[in-house]
Amino acid sequence: MSTVIGVTSEDMLLPALAQHSPSAVVLPAPGQQPLEQALTETWAALEAVGHLVVVVPASLPAEHRIRLHSLRSLLESDRMALVEVDLPPLALALLAHQLRQIAQYDLGPGVIASAARLLAHYLHAGAVLGSVARLDRVEVGLGSHLKSWMPGARFAVLATPEARLEPLTDALRLPGPNYATHLAFGSHGFADDWVRGRLGQDWNCQYVCEVPLPAQSARWWGTGKLAEFTAYIADVGVLYQLVSSAHREPCRWCGLELVGDRCAFCEAGPAPAADQDTRRTG
């Protein structure tokens, strides 16, 4: 294995799913770890494995983001990639888990880093909320805002792959994946019966499991009373097939293979077609 996955908090590592996954590196916030210790541990991971791909929440506080860029700069390392992904906290933790799974295969660090955005499209993530008054991740209409003040109100919200907000009723059917998935959920101060039973059946999930709710979930969803859920592809063979079958091109700057139009390690894009032809014939 030439690539290790990094995360920005311990709760992005889901213990219930991590039994057979490669280890990960945690790069916590500045207040939780001195800079010298962070440098030592990050350098040790790079030396032991080769490349480090850090999954960065789009909602990460500025001081934590600065710490990550400082580590990369101080280590003068082009083997450390910071991959920003805009997903709800539980979905982000599951994406990190999927990347840890495929990192054990010989896909190359550039492809694994690129796979973050590819695999994010196959996550169906949302939550059941008692209030949407402070929800700013999905558009909330005036009617839903007013219903938030009614006792016992509940809302089903999808954040990805499409944004959707509906009052939770017996007749509600949320659009779900049309491929085999497992369903992970976590709850806090809120009943999860609808997620555990109804949603798992509607989405034909092969397995439903409860996991600890990430600490950032309450802030992301705008309320501490919620049941967050994500349907995800659990079969590592399918994940590998999705990534390995995607079109790859070499980065024009560092030469790493990548999927998409941007290298996560050096920020450059694929080599122009003319350059690739020259390399083949040179």
Side-chain angles (χ1 to χ4, degrees):
M1 185 176 70
S2 64
T3 307
V4 66
I5 304 303
V7 295
T8 56
S9 64
E10 288 280 357
D11 60 10
M12 284 180 66
L13 305 176
L14 300 175
L17 305 177
Q19 297 176 357
H20 306 293
S21 298
S23 59
V25 175
V26 180
L27 296 93
Q32 298 173 339
Q33 186 181 55
L35 178 58
E36 184 177 351
Q37 182 182 352
L39 284 168
T40 300
E41 293 183 2
T42 305
W43 177 250
L46 287 169
E47 287 298 286
V49 180
H51 291 79
L52 173 62
V53 175
V54 185
V55 181
V56 181
S59 58
L60 196 70
E63 64 273 13
H64 199 166
R65 189 182 302 275
I66 292 171
R67 163 61 65 89
L68 296 177
H69 284 278
S70 296
L71 287 173
R72 193 176 190 275
S73 178
L74 290 169
L75 291 172
E76 298 182 344
S77 177
D78 57 0
R79 295 181 290 140
M80 178 178 175
L82 304 177
V83 181
E84 183 173 311
V85 187
D86 190 7
L87 286 173
L90 180 56
L92 196 68
L94 286 162
L95 177 63
H97 171 72
Q98 292 177 326
L99 293 175
R100 291 166 66 190
Q101 288 182 299
I102 66 170
Q104 61 190 311
Y105 294 96
D106 187 22
L107 289 168
V111 173
I112 292 172
S114 304
R117 293 187 177 92
L118 171 66
L119 296 181
H121 292 293
Y122 293 91
L123 295 169
H124 283 65
V128 176
L129 309 176
S131 171
V132 294
R134 297 183 178 179
L135 177 65
D136 59 5
R137 304 290 181 171
V138 175
E139 184 176 350
V140 180
L142 178 60
S144 295
H145 265 298
L146 294 175
K147 288 179 182 178
S148 285
W149 298 101
M150 298 176 61
R154 292 198 300 170
F155 302 87
V157 185
L158 270 183
T160 186
E162 61 175 296
R164 183 164 179 167
L165 188 156
E166 301 283 353
L168 188 57
T169 65
D170 291 338
L172 177 63
R173 295 292 187 276
L174 288 180
N178 57 4
Y179 42 85
T181 61
H182 288 188
L183 182 68
F185 73 92
S187 61
H188 185 269
F190 209 70
D192 52 42
D193 297 344
W194 184 82
V195 176
R196 187 192 298 268
R198 178 68 172 276
L199 185 65
Q201 293 177 10
D202 286 351
W203 285 2
N204 295 313
C205 296
Q206 299 172 322
Y207 180 69
V208 179
C209 64
E210 186 171 6
V211 298
L213 200 64
Q216 292 299 313
S217 292
R219 186 167 69 91
W220 204 95
W221 292 104
T223 176
K225 292 185 177 182
L226 73 154
E228 187 175 2
F229 55 83
T230 302
Y232 65 101
I233 297 173
D235 189 330
V236 66
V238 175
L239 295 174
Y240 175 79
Q241 182 67 25
L242 284 171
V243 176
S244 63
S245 62
H247 177 69
R248 310 184 203 180
E249 293 187 58
C251 173
R252 68 171 180 265
W253 182 258
C254 68
L256 289 175
E257 273 196 322
L258 57 98
V259 176
D261 59 359
R262 187 66 55 186
C263 177
F265 286 91
C266 71
E267 302 297 329
D275 290 352
Q276 294 182 40
D277 293 339
T278 301
R279 291 178 186 176
R280 294 190 190 102
T281 58

